[in-house]
Amino acid sequence: MPSLDGATEWLNSAPLGPIELRGRPVLVNFWTLTCINWLRQEPYVRAWSQAYRNDGLIVVGVHTPEFSFEHDVDQVRQAITARGIDYPVVVDNDYAVWRAFGNHYWPALYFVDADGAIRDQHFGEGRYERSERVIQRLLDVEREPVAVEGRGVEADADWDHLRTPETYLGYSRSEHFASPQGVVFDEAGAYALPEHLPLNHWAIAGQWTIGSEQVVLHQPGGSIAFRFHARDAHLVLSPGTREVIPFRVRLDGEAPGRSHGADVDDAGHGLLRDGRLYQLVRQHDGVRERTLEITFDEPGAEAYVFTFG
């Protein structure tokens, strides 16, 4: 197991080094607070930490940020509180621990034995029962797997009906942009929604700057539209320098009703307060192709990536 010395800060714990970890199996979990795949995995990691703590397991979360605003340690603390994480978390703002492990993914699990050797690893969601059996072998225990049920944004995806991929909005990784105007990078431009939005395409309306990792709104009333096919639709947002930005969501031009997500009411209203992933839609009456439009009442909103489940 590589050293954790590159951590810029430790949360929920004093720093843990070779002396503190010696003789203890360790589960290392790389995450970033806006990642939907980590959010859906986290209930399992949390449950394993609690179920096997008295057997000797140490879980260490490593928060390595994907987006610029995720370097804010207060945002990481808020995510820890929101998710009920009580195990040690390494703040890895300089990617030192990430590089030490040679890691490339969020989330990533590394299973370390009591002698400090990495015995298994897994990237992404899934494989939960097998991962728990690995933990049990490291601890030399055998029991039934813990029961886990993710709720809200932590619920498992509806994989059978998921037809829309993760879609980044910043130009460094953007795909399927459908606003009819020519794109201008890194400076303000006026955009409009097309008459027809194809499946898995997105567009913006209003005064926006398309940056490398996000789009930024400059005037009230700007909107983003996305044609998708999935049970859930999420958008990573930040208020930038603003404290609160009201927004409203429409599905096929109407209030979402029962199909509203955890961060929106049935009339479609929500508040952008913190940089994080916002659940805008959860369909309950069957999954079908829909058009989501989110409109911001104030300027300053930053939008990074759509994810679905």
Side-chain angles (χ1 to χ4, degrees), residues 21 25 42 78 87 101 107 132 141 164 178 182 206 230-231:
L21 298 176
E42 172 54 26
Q78 290 178 30
Y87 51 79
F101 275 78
E132 187 168 356
V141 300
T164 299
R231 183 195 66 198

Side-chain angles (χ1 to χ4, degrees), residues 31-57:
W31 60 284
T32 188
L33 66 94
T34 59
C35 177
I36 184 58
N37 309 100
W38 168 74
L39 286 163
R40 294 193 292 240
Q41 180 197 73
E42 172 54 26
Y44 294 87
V45 176
R46 196 166 58 233
W48 297 334
S49 174
Q50 295 167 359
Y52 297 103
R53 186 172 300 168
N54 291 337
D55 298 295
L57 179 68

Side-chain angles (χ1 to χ4, degrees), residues 158 160-164 198-200 226-233 250-260 281-292 308-309:
D158 183 355
D160 292 338
H161 298 98
L162 181 55
R163 304 284 185 271
T164 299
L199 179 63
N200 298 339
F226 200 114
R227 185 74 173 171
F228 72 98
H229 190 291
R231 183 195 66 198
D232 303 337
R250 294 291 180 266
L251 270 180
D252 299 329
E254 300 180 352
R258 287 191 69 236
S259 294
H260 71 87
V281 175
R282 169 158 288 174
Q283 299 191 71
H284 295 280
D285 301 323
V287 178
R288 61 187 187 277
E289 190 175 315
R290 310 293 295 271
T291 296
L292 159 69
F308 301 91

Side-chain angles (χ1 to χ4, degrees), residues 14-29:
L16 300 177
I19 295 176
E20 291 81 11
L21 298 176
R22 183 177 299 143
R24 301 281 295 274
V26 180
L27 175 63
V28 178
N29 177 212

Side-chain angles (χ1 to χ4, degrees), residues 24-29 44-60 109-114 119-121 127-143 145-146:
R24 301 281 295 274
V26 180
L27 175 63
V28 178
N29 177 212
Y44 294 87
V45 176
R46 196 166 58 233
W48 297 334
S49 174
Q50 295 167 359
Y52 297 103
R53 186 172 300 168
N54 291 337
D55 298 295
L57 179 68
I58 296 178
V59 175
V60 177
L109 295 172
Y110 293 88
F111 303 80
V112 183
D113 69 16
R119 293 300 185 185
D120 197 9
Q121 58 193 26
R127 208 199 74 160
Y128 297 119
E129 183 172 347
R130 178 179 164 187
S131 291
E132 187 168 356
R133 295 302 185 194
V134 172
I135 293 170
Q136 291 182 356
R137 288 198 298 273
L138 295 179
L139 296 168
D140 195 24
V141 300
E142 185 175 352
R143 64 183 70 143
V146 296

